[in-house]
Every structure is written in C-alpha cells, then in structure tokens.
Amino acid sequence: MKWDWNAVSDFMPDFWKGLLVTLQALALGSLLSFSLGLVWALLMRTPTRWVRWPVGVVTEFVRNTPLLVQLFFLFYVLPEWGLTFSALATGVFAIGLHYSTYTMQVYRAGIEAVPAGQWEAATALNLPRARTWTAVILPQAIRRVVPALGNYVISMLKDTPLLMVITVLEMLGQARLFSQEHFQFTEPLTVIGVAFILISYLASLLMRALERRLVR
C-alpha cells in the first residue's frame, strides 16, 4: 500500500482540532483526579467512621467499574435526572473521577511513608492540625508520589479515545470521522499513533523534571 501524503495534509486540520480536545481533556482530567484523589485520601484518614465508610464504598465502586460504563452512565442517564452537561465536560468529569480513586491510593501511600518523627515533631511544636498537614506532611508526601502520579497521567492520555463514544471528537474521533469520509485509514491512524507516543514521552519528561525539582 502506497503512503499518501496528500491524505496526511488533508487530515492535519482535523488532527489539530482533535489534539486540542485531547490535551484539554487530559489537563482538566488530571487536575480533577489529583485534587479529588487528595480529598478522598484525607477523608479516609478521619477518625469518624461515618465519613470513611461512604467514601470507601464510593471509591471502591468507581474503581471497580469500567470507565466506559461510567461515561455512558454520566452522558445518557444524568440528563434523565435533569443534570445536563456538555460532552467534553462529562468526559473530563468521568476521567477525573475514575482516576481519583487510584490517585487516592497513591496519596495514602505517600502520607503513610512520612516518618512518624515528623508527626511527633509537629506535635512537640504544638502546630495546629491544619498547619501540620499543609506545612509538614503533605509537602513530603507529594514529593514521594510524583512519579506514580505521572504514570496515571499517561494512563489518562491513553483513555481519552474512550470519549469518542459520547461524541467528543478527540484525536481518534477525528481520525475515525476522516477515514469514514475519505476511505483512508492508514494515514490518519498512523498520525494519531505517533502523536500519542510523542505526547506520552513529553509528559514523562515533564514529570521527571518536576520530580527532580521537588527533590531539591
């Protein structure tokens, strides 16, 4: 099969549109998953069982159901309850919520890895509970978990094509639409394959740079 550079050229405007949507979903989904995961982790450390139990049930349910099912549920079922959001917003929320249940475990491991002496020192200094968390525990815990969080960024990137099922035209959605219209599949699918590799590699470099900066 002959490679058609004209097909690549024709596909590029659609590719840039899909790339922008993919990066938006990745950035916002990552921000949501990191923030919500930290909230889950902190709530799971509260002494109140009536807080820990519901959080544990919700996070276990989300973690053990497929992201694809969650996308369909949020996009098609919530409107029946009067909750309607754009397809992209729904996709970002689904990705962020799903991966927050994994980042929660990462944060929990990082918090538990902080030496007990740090807690004792904060207590000896009579630091308020909130100050202990924000100034002593979380800065150390987050530095420890940056590599693991970076791995989940890559995982979220690889799951963004699932948004196509709820009409979000990210990179794969644009490639699929172009292929159906022009009956050319090799070129657009190869382009997005290379794009995913490059984005994953750049994301890993950024996370390594962030890790080195935090270790200083």
Side-chain angles (χ1 to χ4, degrees):
M1 180 180 293
K2 186 178 179 180
W3 181 265
D4 189 350
W5 286 107
N6 289 329
V8 175
S9 178
D10 292 340
F11 173 62
M12 291 311 293
D14 296 328
F15 166 75
W16 293 119
K17 294 177 185 177
L19 176 63
L20 179 59
V21 174
T22 296
L23 294 178
Q24 285 179 325
L26 177 61
L28 296 175
S30 298
L31 181 62
L32 180 60
S33 69
F34 294 164
S35 303
L36 194 54
L38 181 58
V39 171
W40 296 142
L42 295 177
L43 289 177
M44 288 297 290
R45 293 186 63 88
T46 61
T48 306
R49 184 180 63 178
W50 299 111
V51 173
R52 295 197 312 271
W53 185 82
V55 171
V57 169
V58 169
T59 54
E60 282 295 319
F61 176 80
V62 172
R63 184 165 55 247
N64 290 289
T65 53
L67 176 57
L68 186 59
V69 173
Q70 295 166 15
L71 282 166
F72 276 120
F73 182 87
L74 292 173
F75 190 69
Y76 292 107
V77 176
L78 288 187
E80 295 183 4
W81 298 349
L83 299 173
T84 303
F85 304 96
S86 69
L88 180 58
T90 302
V92 167
F93 179 73
I95 290 177
L97 176 63
H98 184 80
Y99 277 95
S100 71
T101 62
Y102 294 96
T103 58
M104 174 191 74
Q105 300 295 343
V106 173
Y107 284 123
R108 185 172 69 175
I111 291 170
E112 292 176 352
V114 176
Q118 299 295 311
W119 295 93
E120 296 168 358
T123 302
L125 293 172
N126 199 29
L127 291 179
R129 187 72 173 176
R131 181 66 175 169
T132 298
W133 277 105
T134 58
V136 180
I137 304 303
L138 289 181
Q140 297 183 63
I142 291 175
R143 281 198 296 269
R144 297 171 185 270
V145 303
V146 166
L149 293 178
N151 291 336
Y152 283 117
V153 171
I154 305 302
S155 296
M156 280 185 270
L157 171 65
K158 291 188 290 187
D159 275 345
T160 54
L162 292 176
L163 302 185
M164 181 176 58
V165 303
I166 59 170
T167 73
V168 176
L169 290 179
E170 39 63 63
M171 287 195 294
L172 182 59
Q174 292 286 3
R176 179 173 176 268
L177 186 62
F178 179 88
S179 299
Q180 290 174 340
E181 291 177 350
H182 297 82
F183 301 101
Q184 292 175 302
F185 296 87
T186 302
E187 291 82 6
L189 292 176
T190 301
V191 168
I192 67 166
V194 172
F196 272 112
I197 293 173
L198 291 176
I199 296 171
S200 298
Y201 181 67
L202 290 175
S204 66
L205 290 180
L206 288 174
M207 295 307 294
R208 288 175 191 170
L210 178 60
E211 180 184 0
R212 289 195 297 269
R213 185 178 182 84
L214 291 175
V215 169
R216 291 178 183 176

